[in-house]
Structures are given as structure tokens and as C-alpha cells.
Amino acid sequence: DSGVTQTPKHLITATGQRVTLRCSPRSGDLSVYWYQQSLDQGLQFLIQYYNGEERAKGNILERFSAQQFPDLHSELNLSSLELGDSALYFCASSPREFSGNTIYFGEGSWLTVV
Amino acid sequence: GNSVTQMEGPVTLSEEAFLTINCTYTATGYPSLFWYVQYPGEGLQLLLKATKADDKGSNKGFEATYRKETTSFHLEKGSVQVSDSAVYFCALSDRGTERTARQLTFGSGTQLTVLP
């Protein structure tokens, strides 16, 4: 158990809909990362937050957004969903922003768009 | 930019065989290197890591040595088991700076199947 908690574990929704994925980082971790794992594109970095502020953006679509709240949990919002958005979405956390410490992953949220 | 090139799979071995999964990287500065494992139907788990040149990471019989001269971090295990069947990802993390955030860059993953 990495200590990173993601909900829901599985989600099935229709095209055009909007979903929210939630992540609770490990206790004490200030940095939260979101990754997307799909069959055709592998593991892709989406976005990072540090202590409530956005720090880096990767290959995140404009239809997607995220935020980190004062209690450090984070949410990834996916809207106008398309079939190609079906993927495993990982949240990860690390203690500080500028260190060699390990990034720990949650078990992921499986999203299926039908 | 940073990149990780990983040995393509799938790799199929018999139980007790020797395993090597090659990983090379391109990065500026001195990244940390990681191997993550994803068992069927599960999330990513950290397998081992090395944070500086010549460090050896080890866990569960797996080992990898950070080779700066060859920019490599090959994963090895002397005797694989059926339970080692999974997808293995090599990854690197730069240290970040005051202006750039720290990110993990992953290889494409290598599917390992171990047959009894």
C-alpha cells in the first residue's frame, strides 16, 4: 500500500459526460501528480500541483482540468468525454517538489467511456 | 528533453531463468532512476530506485545499477518466478529547479511472462 488513495476505482460513463477523479496523497506529501495510462500512448504525465499551486503541465487536454485543495487532496475533472479518453488514470504524490525522493502511485482509476 | 528507452517486449521466460530488461536514458543533469512494476489489474508499484551514479537499487531479488557512463539502468534478476509476471517500467526523475517542476518520464514498459 503506497498510501496514495484514489476514488473511484472503476467508472463507466457515456460520451459527452463529465467525471471527477479524486486523489488523497500520502500523509505529509505536498506534491500531487496525475498520469494517464492508455494502450496506445503508454504512461503520460498530465499535470502536477505543489501545495495547492499548479507547477507543471504535460499532455493534458483542454477538456481536462485539475486542482489541489487546501487539505492537499486533488481532483481531476474530465469533461466532454470521448471514447479515446478511456484509460487508467493514476495519481501520485511526493514529499517535496525539489528532491530526489520517490514518487508514489495510487492504484489508479479505471475510466471506461462508452 | 528527458527520455527513457526500454527494451521492447513481450519477454517470456521459464521459471528460474535469468532476467535482463534493458533501459537507457537521456537527461540533463543528474536524474534519479526507478523501476516500477505493474501486476495484472493493479496500479504502479515502486520496485527499486537509485539516486546517483554507481548506486545499486535492489528489492525482491531484482537489481539495477545506475551507470552514468553508459546512461543505463538495466533490471536484472537471477531466478524469476511465475509471480514476477507483470509489466516493468523504467523511469527517470529530474531533480527540478526553482523554475521547473520535477516530473517522472517513463519508458514504454516491458511485459514479462514467466512460465512454470
Side-chain angles (χ1 to χ4, degrees), chain A:
Chain A
D1 182 6
S2 67
V4 179
T5 304
Q6 288 187 248
T7 57
K9 292 197 185 315
H10 299 273
L11 187 57
I12 301 175
T13 190
T15 55
Q17 295 298 305
R18 172 191 169 95
V19 299
T20 297
L21 309 179
R22 182 188 168 102
C23 170
S24 294
R26 295 188 323 152
S27 177
D29 284 1
L30 299 179
S31 236
V32 169
Y33 310 76
W34 285 98
Y35 284 81
Q36 179 194 58
Q37 185 181 29
S38 60
L39 281 174
D40 55 346
Q41 297 201 2
L43 266 165
Q44 300 263 328
F45 168 70
L46 295 179
I47 197 164
Q48 179 201 3
Y49 281 83
Y50 176 74
N51 203 20
E53 295 187 2
E54 182 185 304
R55 284 295 288 136
K57 267 188 175 181
N59 299 319
I60 188 166
L61 300 173
E62 287 190 6
R63 299 183 286 108
F64 297 178
S65 64
Q67 54 185 327
Q68 186 179 26
F69 295 87
D71 66 353
L72 301 178
H73 91 271
S74 177
E75 292 181 354
L76 178 67
N77 301 297
L78 314 175
S79 60
S80 303
L81 285 167
E82 302 174 359
L83 295 178
D85 298 327
S86 296
L88 179 58
Y89 291 85
F90 284 112
C91 172
S93 73
S94 66
R96 292 182 293 164
E97 187 173 15
F98 309 127
S99 75
N101 287 337
T102 302
I103 296 176
Y104 291 92
F105 283 77
E107 293 189 353
S109 292
W110 286 93
L111 172 65
T112 302
V113 182
V114 297

Side-chain angles (χ1 to χ4, degrees), chain B residues 34-112:
Chain B
F34 306 86
W35 278 98
Y36 283 85
V37 58
Q38 186 176 27
Y39 296 102
E42 297 185 12
L44 284 169
Q45 298 177 27
L46 176 67
L47 181 60
L48 54 84
K49 68 175 183 179
T51 58
K52 63 182 186 297
D54 300 325
D55 267 3
K56 178 185 282 188
S58 61
N59 185 26
K60 299 181 181 179
F62 291 89
E63 293 183 339
T65 301
Y66 189 143
R67 301 287 188 200
K68 190 168 184 295
E69 64 277 12
T70 55
T71 61
S72 65
F73 193 55
H74 304 322
L75 182 68
E76 296 181 336
K77 186 173 185 182
S79 175
V80 293
Q81 305 300 312
V82 172
S83 58
D84 294 327
S85 298
V87 181
Y88 292 81
F89 291 91
C90 184
L92 72 80
S93 170
D94 56 42
R95 299 192 182 277
T97 67
E98 290 183 1
R99 295 194 187 89
T100 62
R102 182 169 165 267
Q103 300 176 25
L104 268 176
T105 301
F106 284 92
S108 56
T110 301
Q111 171 74 58
L112 170 66

Side-chain angles (χ1 to χ4, degrees), chain B residues 6-25:
Chain B
Q6 196 173 330
M7 171 178 163
E8 291 187 13
V11 174
T12 303
L13 296 173
S14 297
E15 206 164 24
E16 299 183 3
F18 184 85
L19 168 71
T20 300
I21 301 178
N22 290 335
C23 171
T24 57
Y25 67 89

